[in-house]
């Protein structure tokens, strides 16, 4: 598998206050990575750094190119934690918002191909019925699905999501993570996701990254769940995550392969 | 009476220049409001005073002297926002205060206020020259070309700045170009409505349009429509009642704003 993203000794901090220290990792094509960690641990900052929204120290490489020289941003889809809606009335339709995800053309002209891509992305996220409605008039959950369509419209190779399920109800959350799972398994889209919702999303995740001002753990779900030593080092939060993974919906997301659940059988 | 009013050459020049500059301000204002930079017009208009005072001191054309002065100041506002991470309102406040102080000092050195300076403070649309009208036309043409070529970048940068950056859009460049063009528009507008009322031309028509539009393109053309109609109605009313044209234009704009707000409220009531 090819390396999509490489971070080497990435550091970030405000004056005298380190937020992230020496974080290094590689993300391969097809990975589905859950980033977890305590609040204030630097998860969102890490995403901002790899997206070029913040400037820190260290080396970040996208598809083999240093981030400063990287131009193929359409290969990356991004969904932020908060909806961008402000107090000021901004009458753009949901369809116009999705179109903003296509930045190859800069002007007002919209090509037939672009319209097709917009419709396809809205179809995937079940948002076609809102296409003509003003984005600000939609509910927060509907807005989040439209923003997911915007992240998908350029047919990205990697999706980066920052706690996307916070505003979703239970059924929307299931649909949301089901879609991410399909994109990952059927279409090979790499997913990098900050989440506290380890129960639902845990079914699909292949690797965990635990960030608490540094990279504490990065490995497969199996390694994360089964390593009692890691669990001890990670403390209460990680133990809670592991418990959640094991107990969600009354069954372990690892199924019969989980030696932790089946060691007595 | 209308035909008599339109038969005067100075009225024709004023209406052409006024319409062109009002359309420019209406388009720019939409993006400035959405970028929360709506008070930049107010800040720059205060800096205009430095340009006008310098021009009166050196007997030069105030428009030509003010354009570079206001442009440099607008870049100063951008630098304060980007380098020191100041909010737009604070950066505008600093540059505006500096512009006003320097302008007042130069005016004092030049021997105090005179009628020329007062006409710039309150506007005199009917003294616009054909060259200034042509400059207004060039400004509007530049804005329309930029809108046509960078419409998606502009809307994206205003709607969601971080996401726009992840599309490879240079939000900083978009913002800088927007602010530089606004500085030219502000200088050309001070002849129309006066230094004190320029920001109203940048704020009121876009706000009115935002209240009664359902798409972004509607916002743009309605903003232009409201602004141009206000200039024509304002100049006509000022001619009729013998009142200052700048103030009349802004009062008509406010009337349009109140009408749009009532229309929006009425629409919401009907929706329920």
């Amino acid at each position: 598998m090819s390396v999509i993203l490489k971070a080497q000794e990435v550091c970030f901090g405000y004056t005298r206050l380190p937020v992230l220290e020496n974080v290094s990792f590689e993300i391969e094509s097809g990975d589905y990575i859950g980033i977890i960690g305590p609040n204030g641990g630097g998860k969102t900052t890490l995403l901002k750094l790899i997206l070029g929204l913040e400037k820190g120290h260290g080396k970040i490489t996208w598809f083999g190119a240093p981030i400063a020289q990287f131009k193929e941003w359409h290969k990356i889809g991004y969904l932020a934690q908060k909806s961008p809606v402000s107090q000021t009335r901004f009458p753009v339709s949901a369809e116009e918002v999705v179109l903003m995800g296509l930045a190859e053309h800069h002007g007002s002209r919209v090509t037939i191909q672009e319209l097709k891509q917009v419709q396809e992305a809205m179809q995937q996220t079940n948002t076609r019925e809102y296409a003509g409605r003003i984005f600000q008039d939609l509910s927060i959950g509907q807005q989040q699905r439209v923003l997911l369509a915007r992240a998908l419209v350029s047919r990205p190779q990697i999706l980066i999501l920052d706690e996307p399920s916070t505003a979703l109800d239970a059924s929307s959350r299931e649909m949301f993570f089901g879609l991410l799972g399909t994109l990952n398994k059927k279409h090979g889209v790499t997913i990098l996701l900050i989440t506290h919702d380890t129960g639902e999303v845990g079914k699909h995740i292949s690797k965990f990254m635990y960030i608490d001002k540094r990279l504490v753990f990065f490995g497969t779900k199996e390694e994360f769940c089964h390593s009692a030593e890691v669990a001890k080092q990670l403390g209460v939060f990680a133990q809670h995550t592991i418990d959640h993974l094991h107990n969600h919906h009354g069954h372990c997301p690892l199924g019969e392969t989980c030696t932790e659940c089946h060691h007595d059988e | 009476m209308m035909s008599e009013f339109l038969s005067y050459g100075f009225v024709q020049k004023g209406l052409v220049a006024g319409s062109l500059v009002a359309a420019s301000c209406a388009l720019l204002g939409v993006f400035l409001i959405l970028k929360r930079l709506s008070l930049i017009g107010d800040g720059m208009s205060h800096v205009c005073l430095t340009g006008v005072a310098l021009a009166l001191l050196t007997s030069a054309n105030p428009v030509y002297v003010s354009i570079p002065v206001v442009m440099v100041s607008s870049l100063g506002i951008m630098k304060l926002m980007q380098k020191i991470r100041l909010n737009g309102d604070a950066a505008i406040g600093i540059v505006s205060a500096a512009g006003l102080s320097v302008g007042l000092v130069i005016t004092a050195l030049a021997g105090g206020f005179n009628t020329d300076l007062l006409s710039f403070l309150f506007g005199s649309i009917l003294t616009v020259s054909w060259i200034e009208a042509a400059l207004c036309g060039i400004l509007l043409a530049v804005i329309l070309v930029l809108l046509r070529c960078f419409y998606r970048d502009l809307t994206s940068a205003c709607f969601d700045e971080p996401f726009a950056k992840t599309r490879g859009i240079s939000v900083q460049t978009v913002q800088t170009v927007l602010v530089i063009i606004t500085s030219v528009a502000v200088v050309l507008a001070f002849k129309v409505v006066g230094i004190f009322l320029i920001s109203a031309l940048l704020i009121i028509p876009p706000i009115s349009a935002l209240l009664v539009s359902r798409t972004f393109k509607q916002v743009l053309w309605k903003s232009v429509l409201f602004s141009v109609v206000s200039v024509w109605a304002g100049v006509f009313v000022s001619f009729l009642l013998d009142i200052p044209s700048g103030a009349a234009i802004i009062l008509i704009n406010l009337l349009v704003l109140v009408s749009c707000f009532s229309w929006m409220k009425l629409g919401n009531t009907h929706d329920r």
Side-chain angles (χ1 to χ4, degrees):
Chain A
M1 279 198 249
S2 60
V3 173
I4 286 183
L5 169 66
K6 194 172 178 181
Q8 288 170 281
E9 296 181 1
V10 172
C11 303
F12 181 81
Y14 301 104
T15 318
R16 294 182 194 166
L17 185 71
V19 177
L20 278 175
E21 289 177 300
N22 292 323
V23 175
S24 300
F25 59 86
E26 281 184 8
I27 291 177
E28 293 177 332
S29 169
D31 279 346
Y32 191 142
I33 298 167
I35 304 178
I36 55 171
N39 291 332
K43 306 184 293 294
T44 297
T45 304
L46 178 64
L47 290 198
K48 284 183 178 173
L49 286 165
I50 62 177
L51 285 165
L53 299 176
E54 291 280 5
K55 279 184 183 157
H57 298 288
K59 198 175 167 189
I60 293 165
T61 319
W62 277 111
F63 299 93
I67 192 164
Q69 275 115 54
F70 184 65
K71 301 279 181 217
E72 299 172 303
W73 289 99
H74 63 276
K75 289 182 174 176
I76 302 166
Y78 171 55
L79 179 57
Q81 190 176 4
K82 286 180 193 163
S83 174
V85 172
S86 66
Q87 290 293 313
T88 313
R89 191 174 155 80
F90 201 135
V92 281
S93 67
E95 193 176 52
E96 284 177 289
V97 170
V98 177
L99 190 64
M100 288 176 195
L102 294 170
E104 275 80 54
H105 296 119
H106 306 281
S108 54
R109 200 171 59 89
V110 182
T111 64
I112 294 169
Q113 175 59 29
E114 285 177 327
L115 272 180
K116 269 186 192 166
Q117 281 180 246
V118 168
Q119 284 168 0
E120 186 186 296
M122 296 192 92
Q123 184 81 46
Q124 276 182 311
T125 53
N126 278 342
T127 50
R128 278 193 77 170
E129 58 187 300
Y130 323 130
R133 285 180 58 190
I134 293 181
F135 179 80
Q136 260 173 331
D137 293 346
L138 300 175
S139 72
I140 300 290
Q142 289 168 336
Q143 286 180 2
Q144 198 69 348
R145 279 155 60 194
V146 170
L147 294 176
L148 178 65
R150 182 182 64 169
L152 291 173
V153 73
S154 62
R155 295 170 184 158
Q157 292 184 26
I158 178 166
L159 259 181
I160 297 175
L161 308 106
D162 188 352
E163 292 190 53
S165 61
T166 318
L168 301 178
D169 58 33
S171 64
S172 299
R173 200 156 36 227
E174 205 176 326
M175 186 283 286
F176 191 90
F177 288 126
L179 173 62
L180 293 186
T182 308
L183 286 168
N184 178 251
K185 288 197 176 71
K186 287 194 181 163
H187 303 284
V189 177
T190 307
I191 291 170
L192 186 59
L193 164 83
I194 292 180
T195 185
H196 290 294
D197 192 355
T198 46
E200 182 63 39
V201 77
K203 293 178 197 169
H204 306 286
I205 283 173
S206 59
K207 287 179 183 170
F208 272 112
M209 187 183 283
Y210 186 97
I211 302 281
D212 186 7
K213 300 201 187 300
R214 63 190 176 89
L215 183 60
V216 180
F217 175 85
F218 184 38
T220 64
K221 184 163 63 175
E222 290 77 6
E223 287 167 343
F224 187 80
C225 284
H226 296 157
S227 171
E229 196 181 339
V230 167
K232 272 180 204 165
Q233 281 179 8
L234 298 183
V236 179
F237 179 89
Q239 190 56 56
H240 170 78
T241 304
I242 292 167
D243 290 345
H244 201 162
L245 275 168
H246 280 275
N247 297 326
H248 186 70
H249 294 319
H251 67 274
C252 174
L254 298 178
E256 291 179 1
T257 59
C258 181
T259 52
E260 199 72 20
C261 295
H262 297 272
H263 67 283
D264 293 336
E265 293 171 10
Chain B
M1 183 177 283
M2 191 69 179
S3 58
E4 186 201 342
F5 165 70
L6 289 173
S7 65
Y8 297 115
F10 59 88
V11 171
Q12 291 165 4
K13 269 187 291 185
L15 286 175
V16 169
S19 303
L20 292 169
V21 85
S24 303
C25 287
L27 291 170
L28 293 169
V30 171
F31 296 101
L32 293 173
I33 286 166
L34 295 172
K35 289 291 307 158
R36 297 180 182 199
L37 285 169
S38 49
L39 278 178
I40 203 160
D42 201 47
M44 287 180 189
S45 62
H46 289 154
V47 177
C48 274
L49 193 70
T50 301
V52 172
L54 268 175
L56 294 178
L57 187 69
T58 56
S59 302
N61 185 322
V63 171
Y64 306 143
V65 177
S66 297
I67 287 177
V69 171
V70 178
M71 259 188 197
V72 170
S73 307
S74 65
L75 290 175
I77 292 172
M78 296 306 297
K79 284 284 168 217
L80 283 172
M81 285 168 61
Q82 288 156 3
K83 300 287 174 195
I84 313 180
R85 292 201 173 193
L86 277 183
N87 281 332
D89 53 353
I92 291 166
I94 292 171
V95 173
S96 159
L100 199 57
S101 315
V102 174
L104 288 173
V105 168
I106 294 171
T107 307
L109 292 175
F113 288 98
N114 56 32
T115 47
D116 280 348
L117 186 60
L118 288 176
S119 78
F120 289 116
L121 292 179
F122 300 105
S124 54
I125 190 171
L126 303 181
T127 62
V128 172
S129 68
W130 278 119
I131 292 178
E132 284 161 354
L135 280 176
C136 295
I138 293 169
L139 173 73
L140 182 60
V142 169
I143 292 170
L144 290 174
V145 168
L146 286 174
L147 254 180
R148 173 96 184 138
C149 298
F150 298 102
Y151 175 81
R152 207 177 297 177
D153 291 1
L154 272 163
T155 49
S156 192
C158 290
F159 181 74
D160 187 352
E161 192 176 311
F163 182 81
K165 283 180 183 169
T166 70
R167 299 300 85 198
I169 296 168
S170 175
V171 175
Q172 200 169 319
T173 307
V174 168
Q175 209 156 299
T176 305
V177 170
L178 184 65
V179 166
I180 286 177
I181 293 176
T182 304
S183 62
V184 178
V186 163
V187 174
L188 294 176
F190 74 57
K191 269 281 183 82
V192 178
V193 288
I195 286 172
F196 288 146
L197 298 173
I198 290 169
S199 61
L201 218 51
L202 283 163
I203 297 173
I204 303 173
I207 292 283
S208 305
L210 281 165
L211 293 176
V212 291
S213 302
R214 292 201 63 81
T215 68
F216 196 68
K217 283 183 180 161
Q218 263 183 30
V219 177
L220 295 174
W221 72 255
K222 281 184 184 173
S223 178
V224 170
L225 179 74
F226 295 155
S227 194
V228 172
V229 166
S230 300
V231 166
W232 279 66
V235 172
F236 185 65
V237 168
S238 78
F239 179 76
L240 212 63
L241 304 177
D242 195 21
I243 56 172
S245 56
I249 291 169
I250 301 307
L251 286 173
I252 300 277
N253 261 311
L254 285 168
L255 204 65
V256 173
L257 176 66
V258 172
S259 309
C260 288
F261 182 72
S262 308
W263 178 268
M264 186 194 75
K265 282 284 168 200
L266 206 68
N268 284 347
T269 313
H270 279 250
D271 285 348
R272 276 186 213 124

